[in-house]
């Protein structure tokens, strides 16, 4: 049977073998954590603690700053020692709370409720909201907002995104292997909250053992289907995943809910389960530390606020020829200038790349109109034209080529033989004009 | 922690952080290599003079590019192989009998006027080598149509001249052409080998097919243009090729003679001057095939590949506009609107 997929896409070397067989191990509890008050898309949190205050593990330290927002919690027990601006992975200064770890790991508010499935949809939703859960695939969109579609937009399907199409990353893969039951429980909770009776788990076909595990986990769930997807980037992009799993196409500028679908990441599903059952807030996540430039690649359970430098140290440090450290995957992640940056709810991986293979920004030539980018653009755009128009400052004209439908997956830039920074030119054009 | 940071100067750059191994120069040099069989067969049939003409053409193309870019203080890009390719293609498109200044003038027109003055690599409207050749054909019509008899080259220095198969076909008809080559089968075989009069690199069909197979295998060209080009030409040759009767023409002779294969696989497929959208490339190929046969059967010239491709080059940007791919989900949107109504 042909595997479900979408039109276009690329096949970068997946490099998953570096970390895929490393079980999730807990990272060392750091001496102090730096918890940014803005780890999600939407309004930053307001701090509700003061310097010197003692906090427990799991205690809320920042309250949501609006509807599209998510609270943040302390990932350690200890004392607030500073509140101020610290750089995040994108290099932006973000108001953050620094907590000195007392090493006692004292929890607050944790309570096992095995009957969580008996809770009403609204009660479950409340728990997800209180836990500060956001999309853990990278975009970090507050989950509760996705679970609150307007009345006129009913949802009939929930898809768990296990594609993990970014090369190198294996965090979701390990979760599906090690916590398959929790993933499915999380999906069932999401389905209940949305009043939906159709669930999918979409997994790329290069993870046959994960597909097997998940299939076993849904053996007695007639409403949930595990869907093997073609191995192709960006298979895990929301629109592409929806197309592959359900055949539905999200119209331009529309949202998944416009085709009655909600997509959530594997990690998010586990967090939802833990929030519903234990009332556990999102204070830790799986991070893949990998790449040719790190000595011992690993998948680690990391407390939010842990410094990337701590993780690098625990993975045997950087090799000598390291050129780039990336927060996230190689296609859409951010290169960081300093390792003193905190892991946030959206940090799916730390990727360390050696000098070899780095394409420097000035090394690009003119577009030779080979059309590779047009053939592979998952959105059906003409990236070559977008790049050329942006380069010439013709931003308005770029809109005729559907500038704002680009979601910056980077496939065009990957494929470009002239090494043109097409995505960056698109970003520039987007910033210089309005939709 | 601080130590690690100091040891490593990290590069901060925008995503994506990995790139494919393909580069512009790798593509250009691959196309150059794919033309090697045609060069070898050209040298075999037309002798050292043919190699001299090709070399002169390449050297003048590279020199033109270098001087222009130096003079205008631009980054010199002769290593990317594109000027080499222009020179090579022009050389392969010349008769071996031309005097030495012909390839020099042709390369100048191709590289400076057709490519650089339009903005350099990626911005030229027309295929540079073909404009170079068209310029020469119009400026030196006599010199450009003296065709050396292929086997003579190695034997003696003043080569005898003859007409090309297409020339014979046009002037004297199919029966005469078959008579010249003995029988029809022999004609096909000689055309395949390239044992016939013509431009240096266009005669050997087999050499061109080997090169084209390499390019198709490596994905540097796709089937869209060659198949639609050759298919349309074959269809037209079959339908209108015979005098006095429909559906009695010989498509094989038309496909294997003139610059048909060289044009369809190596010139019409030029990234810069053909449409970028695959569906548009099919229309482009059909146009090339149609115009080629129109000129061959009804026009004043025996051969029409060059003019056909150049004419279609004009339409490439328009074709790309017309065949702009559908944005993901867009069709559904219009359908959804219809449903709402």
């Amino acid at each position: 049977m042909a595997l479900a997929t979408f039109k276009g896409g690329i096949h970068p070397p997946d490099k998953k073998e570096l970390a895929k067989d490393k079980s999730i191990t807990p990272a060392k509890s750091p001496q102090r954590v730096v918890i940014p008050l803005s780890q999600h898309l939407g309004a930053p949190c307001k701090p509700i603690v003061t310097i010197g205050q003692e906090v427990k593990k799991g205690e809320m330290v920042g309250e949501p700053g609006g509807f599209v927002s998510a609270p943040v919690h302390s990932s350690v027990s200890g004392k607030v020692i500073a509140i101020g601006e610290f750089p995040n992975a994108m290099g932006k200064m973000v108001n953050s709370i620094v907590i000195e770890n007392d090493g006692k790991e004292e929890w607050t508010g944790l309570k096992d409720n095995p009957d969580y499935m008996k809770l009403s949809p609204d009660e479950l939703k409340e728990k997800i909201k209180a836990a500060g859960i956001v999309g853990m695939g990278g975009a970090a969109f507050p989950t509760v907002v996705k679970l609150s579609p307007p009345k006129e937009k009913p949802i009939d399907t929930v898809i768990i995104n296990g594609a993990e199409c970014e090369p190198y990353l294996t965090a979701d893969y390990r979760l599906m292997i090690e916590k398959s039951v929790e993933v499915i429980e999380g999906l069932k909770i999401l389905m209940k909250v949305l009043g939906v009776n159709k669930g999918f788990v979409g997994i790329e076909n290069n993870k046959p053992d994960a597909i097997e595990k998940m299939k076993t986990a849904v053996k007695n769930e007639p409403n949930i289907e595990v869907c093997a997807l073609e191995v192709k980037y960006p298979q895990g992009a929301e629109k592409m995943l929806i197309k592959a799993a359900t055949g539905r196409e999200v119209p331009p500028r529309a949202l998944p809910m416009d085709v009655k679908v909600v997509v959530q990441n594997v990690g998010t599903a586990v967090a939802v389960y833990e929030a519903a059952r234990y009332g556990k807030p999102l204070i830790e996540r799986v991070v893949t530390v990998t790449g040719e430039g790190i000595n011992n690649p690993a998948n680690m359970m990391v407390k939010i606020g842990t410094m990337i430098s701590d993780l690098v140290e625990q993975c045997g440090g950087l090799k000598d020829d390291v050129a780039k450290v990336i927060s996230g995957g190689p296609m859409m992640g951010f290169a960081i200038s300093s390792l003193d940056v905190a892991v946030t709810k959206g940090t799916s991986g730390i990727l360390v790349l050696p000098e070899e293979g780095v394409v420097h920004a000035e090394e690009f030539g003119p577009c030779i109109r080979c059309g590779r980018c047009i053939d592979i653009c998952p959105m059906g755009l003409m990236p070559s034209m977008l790049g050329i128009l942006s380069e010439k400052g013709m931003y308005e004209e770029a809109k005729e080529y559907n500038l704002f439908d680009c979601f910056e997956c980077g496939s065009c830039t990957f494929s470009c033989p002239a090494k043109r920074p097409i995505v960056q030119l698109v970003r520039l054009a987007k910033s210089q004009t309005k939709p | 922690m601080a130590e690690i940071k100091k040891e490593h100067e990290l590069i901060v750059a925008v995503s994506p952080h990995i790139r494919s191994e393909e580069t512009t120069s790798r593509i250009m040099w691959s196309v150059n290599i794919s033309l090697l069989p045609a060069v070898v067969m050209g040298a075999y049939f037309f002798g050292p003079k043919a190699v001299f003409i090709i070399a002169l053409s390449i050297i003048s193309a590279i020199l033109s590019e270098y001087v222009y870019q130096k003079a205008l203080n631009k980054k010199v890009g002769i290593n990317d192989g594109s000027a080499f390719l222009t020179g090579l293609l022009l050389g392969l498109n010349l008769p071996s009998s031309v005097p030495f200044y012909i390839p020099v003038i042709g390369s100048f027109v191709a590289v400076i006027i057709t490519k650089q003055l339009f903005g350099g690599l990626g911005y030229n409207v027309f295929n540079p080598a073909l404009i170079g050749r068209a310029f020469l054909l119009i400026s030196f019509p006599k010199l450009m149509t003296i065709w050396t008899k292929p086997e003579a080259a190695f034997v003696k220095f003043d080569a005898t001249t003859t007409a090309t198969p297409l020339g014979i076909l046009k002037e004297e008809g199919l029966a005469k052409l078959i008579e010249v080559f003995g029988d029809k089968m022999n004609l096909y075989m000689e055309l395949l080998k390239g044992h016939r009069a013509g431009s240096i690199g266009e005669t050997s069909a087999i050499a061109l097919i080997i090169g084209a197979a390499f390019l198709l295998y490596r994905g540097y060209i796709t089937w869209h243009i060659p198949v639609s080009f050759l298919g349309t030409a074959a269809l037209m040759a079959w339908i209108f090729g015979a005098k006095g009767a429909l559906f009695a023409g010989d498509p094989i002779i038309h496909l294997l003679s003139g610059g048909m294969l060289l044009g369809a696989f190596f010139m019409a497929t030029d990234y810069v001057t053909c449409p970028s959208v695959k569906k548009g490339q099919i229309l482009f190929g059909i146009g090339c095939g149609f115009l080629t046969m129109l000129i061959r059967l009804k026009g004043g010239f025996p051969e029409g590949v060059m003019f056909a491709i150049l004419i279609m080059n004009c339409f490439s940007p328009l074709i790309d506009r017309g065949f702009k791919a559908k944005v993901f989900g867009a069709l559904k949107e219009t359908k959804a609107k219809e449903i709402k109504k």
Side-chain angles (χ1 to χ4, degrees):
Chain A
M1 197 190 82
L3 293 164
T5 192
F6 63 98
K7 203 170 150 247
I10 55 170
H11 298 93
D14 85 351
K15 303 288 178 87
K16 305 257 189 205
E17 67 279 2
L18 288 170
K20 85 189 257 285
D21 297 324
K22 307 280 162 78
S23 327
I24 301 169
T25 50
K28 265 191 250 159
S29 197
Q31 278 182 336
R32 65 179 75 85
V33 287
V34 177
I35 298 180
L37 287 161
S38 179
Q39 305 184 25
H40 47 263
L41 272 176
C45 291
K46 293 188 209 91
I48 53 166
V49 288
T50 49
I51 293 172
Q53 186 178 332
E54 296 280 342
V55 292
K56 294 255 173 63
K57 192 174 171 180
E59 190 175 329
M60 198 200 288
V61 292
E63 61 176 15
F67 173 65
V68 182
S69 187
V72 293
H73 305 78
S74 176
S75 53
V76 295
S77 58
K79 197 159 83 177
V80 177
I81 53 168
I83 299 174
E85 300 220 312
F86 287 83
N88 71 0
M90 285 92 133
K92 232 175 95 180
M93 298 303 280
V94 198
N95 209 16
S96 309
I97 296 172
V98 184
I99 300 161
E100 184 89 43
N101 187 359
D102 62 12
K104 292 178 190 155
E105 308 281 328
E106 273 180 303
W107 275 94
T108 178
L110 215 54
K111 205 176 88 194
D112 188 6
N113 172 16
D115 289 332
Y116 56 93
M117 275 315 258
K118 292 196 181 124
L119 295 173
S120 75
D122 280 344
E123 284 168 325
L124 286 167
K125 205 160 106 178
E126 206 41 56
K127 282 188 175 279
I128 292 166
K129 189 176 176 184
I133 296 174
V134 301
M136 289 163 76
F141 190 77
T143 298
V144 72
V145 181
K146 275 194 184 179
L147 298 181
S148 316
K151 268 209 185 65
E152 66 276 16
K153 306 231 160 133
I155 303 295
D156 66 10
T157 306
V158 177
I159 304 176
I160 295 299
N161 189 350
E164 202 164 47
C165 60
E166 276 270 13
Y168 292 92
L169 302 186
T170 53
D172 292 347
Y173 167 78
R174 286 315 308 179
L175 273 177
M176 289 189 287
I177 295 280
E178 296 177 34
K179 298 198 170 183
S180 50
V181 176
E182 287 87 337
V183 174
I184 297 303
E185 288 305 302
L187 171 55
K188 280 159 65 185
I189 294 163
L190 291 167
M191 286 162 69
K192 179 160 186 184
V193 170
L194 287 160
V196 163
N197 50 25
K198 185 74 207 163
F200 285 98
V201 183
I203 307 171
E204 273 192 351
N205 206 35
N206 58 350
K207 310 170 186 73
D209 34 355
I211 295 172
E212 217 36 61
K213 279 268 180 191
M214 295 308 290
K215 278 197 171 152
T216 316
V218 299
K219 222 167 38 200
N220 301 318
E221 307 287 347
N223 294 335
I224 300 176
E225 198 180 307
V226 175
C227 187
L229 310 169
E230 193 184 319
V231 183
K232 196 161 78 172
Y233 179 87
Q235 186 65 73
E238 252 183 356
K239 288 184 175 185
M240 280 69 239
L241 181 65
I242 293 169
K243 166 81 178 167
T246 68
R248 299 177 198 172
E249 284 190 21
V250 180
R253 324 284 168 86
L255 294 168
M257 67 177 176
D258 292 303
V259 293
K260 306 182 176 175
V261 178
V262 163
V263 179
Q264 292 290 353
N265 165 268
V266 166
T268 315
V270 174
V272 163
Y273 161 76
E274 290 178 342
R277 174 156 184 175
Y278 304 104
K280 181 183 163 189
L282 180 50
I283 58 158
E284 56 182 6
R285 65 157 298 143
V286 181
V287 177
T288 306
V289 184
T290 184
E292 288 87 348
I294 189 100
N295 282 312
N296 310 313
N299 295 292
M300 294 197 279
M301 186 61 83
V302 180
K303 292 190 166 67
I304 303 298
T306 304
M307 289 290 130
I308 287 172
S309 50
D310 285 350
L311 297 181
V312 166
E313 213 173 64
Q314 287 174 53
C315 291
L318 304 178
K319 289 184 186 166
D320 287 338
D321 60 342
V322 165
K324 268 188 192 176
V325 177
I326 293 150
S327 165
M331 291 302 296
M332 291 182 86
F334 298 90
I336 55 178
S337 60
S338 153
L339 298 179
D340 294 327
V341 168
V343 167
T344 65
K345 295 172 182 177
T347 311
S348 47
I350 305 299
L351 173 60
V352 186
L353 293 178
E355 177 71 39
E356 198 202 337
V358 170
V359 171
H360 294 276
E362 66 281 2
E363 280 172 12
F364 71 93
C367 171
I368 55 167
R369 330 265 166 163
C370 66
R372 281 175 176 73
C373 56
I374 299 171
D375 293 342
I376 55 88
C377 177
M379 287 305 291
L381 309 178
M382 289 179 78
S384 52
M385 285 308 291
L386 291 173
I388 289 165
L389 292 170
S390 172
E391 199 180 15
K392 304 253 176 280
M394 298 164 76
Y395 309 120
E396 289 303 311
E397 286 81 355
K399 287 201 290 198
E400 286 172 37
Y401 286 87
N402 305 302
L403 173 67
F404 285 92
D405 287 308
C406 171
F407 67 94
E408 303 171 16
C409 69
S411 299
C412 50
T413 313
F414 173 85
S415 316
C416 182
K419 308 293 161 208
R420 295 173 59 76
I422 303 175
V423 185
Q424 189 60 8
L425 288 166
V426 165
R427 290 182 191 123
L428 170 69
K430 280 182 178 173
S431 72
Q432 297 297 315
T433 180
K434 285 199 182 77
Chain B
M1 282 164 24
E3 284 158 29
I4 296 172
K5 204 176 69 181
K6 264 178 203 150
E7 272 173 34
H8 294 94
E9 292 267 306
L10 296 178
I11 297 172
V12 179
V14 292
S15 65
H17 304 285
I18 50 172
R19 305 292 187 93
S20 72
E21 287 174 353
E22 217 54 85
T23 64
T24 300
S25 60
R26 196 159 106 165
I27 294 170
M28 294 294 174
W29 287 112
S30 297
V31 180
N32 285 324
I33 288 167
S34 75
L35 286 164
L36 195 64
V39 173
V40 170
M41 291 308 273
Y44 175 71
F45 285 121
F46 300 106
K49 176 76 190 292
V51 180
F52 173 71
I53 293 295
I54 294 173
L56 204 56
S57 182
I58 293 170
I59 291 165
S60 356
I62 292 176
L63 217 60
S64 301
E65 179 126 312
Y66 179 81
V67 170
Y68 182 91
Q69 287 172 334
K70 267 277 174 226
L72 270 82
N73 244 336
K74 290 176 178 236
K75 205 175 131 195
V76 174
I78 52 173
N79 289 336
D80 66 18
S82 69
F84 188 103
L85 180 58
T86 299
L88 176 58
L89 282 171
L90 177 68
L92 292 174
N93 270 291
L94 295 174
S96 60
S97 60
V98 292
F100 74 93
Y101 56 85
I102 288 288
V104 176
I105 297 172
S107 283
F108 174 85
V109 171
V111 171
I112 305 275
I113 296 178
T114 319
K115 189 169 114 182
Q116 291 299 348
L117 290 185
F118 278 80
L121 181 63
Y123 290 94
N124 46 303
V125 180
F126 297 103
N127 185 309
L130 285 179
I131 287 285
R133 184 177 188 272
F135 179 88
L136 294 172
L137 182 66
I138 293 163
S139 310
F140 309 96
K142 262 260 166 57
L143 290 175
M144 287 291 288
T145 48
I146 298 171
W147 308 102
T148 311
K149 224 178 180 177
E151 73 267 68
F154 279 121
V155 189
K156 46 185 175 180
F157 281 107
D158 16 287
T160 47
T161 60
T162 179
T164 62
L166 283 180
I168 301 171
L169 194 63
K170 182 132 209 157
E171 301 304 324
E172 295 164 274
L174 182 62
K176 174 73 183 171
L177 182 61
I178 293 170
E179 190 196 310
V180 169
F181 281 85
D183 59 50
K184 210 168 188 180
M185 205 53 217
N186 203 39
L187 168 63
Y188 290 158
M189 289 316 293
E190 296 299 273
L191 290 179
L192 265 178
K193 271 191 284 180
H195 190 221
R196 53 118 167 149
S199 298
I200 298 166
E202 73 177 21
T203 65
S204 177
I206 198 79
L208 293 168
I209 290 167
I210 290 169
F214 167 73
L215 291 183
L216 285 165
Y217 171 73
R218 294 289 296 267
Y220 290 141
I221 61 172
T222 56
W223 61 269
H224 302 79
I225 290 176
V227 168
S228 54
F229 190 154
L230 299 174
T232 307
L235 202 66
M236 281 188 64
W238 174 56
I239 299 174
F240 304 109
K243 283 201 173 81
L246 288 180
F247 304 103
D250 187 331
I252 298 174
I253 292 177
H254 274 284
L255 290 190
L256 297 184
S257 53
M260 188 73 91
L261 295 180
L262 185 60
F265 286 111
F266 299 92
M267 316 279 277
T269 53
D270 170 33
Y271 288 157
V272 178
T273 54
C274 79
S276 305
V277 181
K278 290 285 178 285
K279 277 182 201 157
Q281 290 183 349
I282 294 175
L283 179 66
F284 177 85
I286 291 172
C288 288
F290 174 80
L291 290 172
T292 299
M293 290 314 295
L294 190 68
I295 295 168
R296 279 189 180 181
L297 297 174
K298 297 284 169 210
F301 290 95
E303 173 58 310
V305 170
M306 176 185 78
F307 290 117
I309 296 174
L310 287 175
I311 292 167
M312 288 312 293
N313 283 166
C314 309
F315 291 102
S316 289
L318 197 65
I319 291 174
D320 268 342
R321 263 179 172 266
F323 283 87
K324 208 154 71 173
K326 161 186 102 75
V327 177
F328 182 90
L331 208 71
K332 293 274 162 69
E333 189 185 42
T334 44
K335 261 189 202 160
K337 267 183 198 155
E338 275 165 25
I339 294 164
K340 262 184 199 167
K341 277 173 195 166

